Amino acid sequence: MKILAVESSSLVASAAVWEDDVIKAEYTLNNKKTHSQTLLPMIDSVLKSSDTDVSEIDAIAVSSGPGSFTGLRIGAATAKGLGMALGKPLIAVPTLDMTAYNIFKSHALICPIMDARRNQVYTGFYKNESDFEVIKQSFAADIKEVLYELESLGDEVIFLGDGVPVYKEFIKNHFACPYAFAPAYMNRQRAGTLACLGAKYYRQGKVVSAQSMVPEYLRKSQAEREMESKH
């Protein structure tokens, strides 16, 4: 089985080719590049580098959100276009599931946080000690509410994601449970991780048609909120 993975839910842009439990090629950038300019060349690069013809791909894994509205739309449009052109299914993987999947064989509760502005984060709670478990699915909340809920669970917590640099000091000053921050090599979205979790979901039958896949934003865009406030 071969999977092409496409990730653009945040500042990170990433593409990977996965084949039978091996990441054959991966290309990741985290350097303020425009996804609309970089994503297709990155996909072309990982396909060529892994000697993979695009027609050999069995499915396309794509980060389904939450995250940057623009980034999610670019990733979804790219995956949907390829899926429709090739007649291949899509594996819509929640962004926070994929981010949490970077952490393996840990007894701690895994808490990825993405900065959603205005003191809010996108987050979810996970375990990945013996098997990957979604303890609480993706949601948006004030960072204070997230820390309060985590404290009520009483577990040690590993924080990761692009929200960590924003809220690191707040967590240090306000979180009472044992915790750690994931190191750089496992604290951001990666298409390689997306492909691995996508393969797991593919085997479970969690696929959608390219036509039906839609991103999960969790909340309305700033433009939509501003429009509603005017009315």
Side-chain angles (χ1 to χ4, degrees):
M1 180 171 62
K2 294 184 181 182
I3 291 175
L4 172 66
V6 179
E7 159 57 33
S8 62
S9 63
S10 67
L11 185 63
V12 175
S14 188
V17 172
W18 176 100
E19 180 181 359
D20 298 331
D21 288 327
V22 175
I23 299 171
K24 304 288 286 187
E26 183 176 16
Y27 191 160
T28 299
L29 286 173
N30 186 14
N31 194 33
K32 296 183 180 180
K33 299 292 184 180
T34 304
H35 294 334
S36 59
Q37 296 176 325
T38 59
L39 205 54
L40 284 173
M42 292 169 75
I43 292 170
D44 184 59
S45 177
V46 294
L47 289 169
K48 288 180 177 177
S49 298
S50 62
D51 296 321
T52 304
D53 189 283
V54 71
S55 63
E56 300 170 0
I57 295 296
D58 293 294
I60 301 164
V62 59
S63 182
S64 63
S68 157
F69 284 79
T70 302
L72 288 172
R73 287 176 181 138
I74 291 170
T78 302
K80 285 165 70 74
L82 287 169
M84 285 187 280
L86 298 168
K88 303 295 183 180
L90 268 55
I91 313 161
V93 179
T95 306
L96 293 158
D97 288 22
M98 175 258 295
T99 309
Y101 201 62
N102 281 320
I103 309 296
F104 179 65
K105 280 294 180 184
S106 171
H107 67 276
L109 192 67
I110 304 165
C111 180
I113 54 175
M114 299 178 71
D115 184 22
R117 308 292 175 87
R118 300 183 179 182
N119 291 323
Q120 285 206 329
V121 294
Y122 299 122
T123 188
F125 304 154
Y126 304 85
K127 286 275 193 176
N128 199 9
E129 186 170 4
S130 57
D131 195 15
F132 187 65
E133 299 177 67
V134 180
I135 306 300
K136 183 170 182 177
Q137 292 183 330
S138 306
F139 66 100
D142 187 283
I143 184 64
K144 293 179 183 177
E145 296 174 11
V146 174
L147 297 186
Y148 180 79
E149 186 169 353
L150 287 170
E151 286 177 346
S152 71
L153 296 174
D155 291 329
E156 181 179 357
V157 179
I158 297 176
F159 293 100
L160 68 162
D162 63 21
V164 168
V166 180
Y167 296 105
K168 190 172 189 176
E169 291 305 314
F170 187 86
I171 292 169
K172 286 181 177 179
N173 293 328
H174 295 87
F175 191 55
C177 292
Y179 68 89
F181 298 111
Y185 63 89
M186 60 173 65
N187 70 6
R188 291 291 191 277
Q189 297 91 332
R190 285 182 48 204
T193 308
L194 173 62
C196 292
L197 185 55
K200 183 181 181 72
Y201 287 172
Y202 181 89
R203 294 184 182 115
Q204 295 172 355
K206 297 179 181 179
V207 298
V208 296
S209 68
Q211 291 88 343
S212 64
M213 185 270 167
V214 291
E216 295 287 341
Y217 299 114
L218 287 191
R219 68 178 193 179
K220 295 177 180 179
S221 68
Q222 183 176 346
E224 290 173 314
R225 294 195 301 271
E226 291 176 351
M227 181 66 70
E228 288 180 353
S229 67
K230 290 178 181 178
H231 295 285

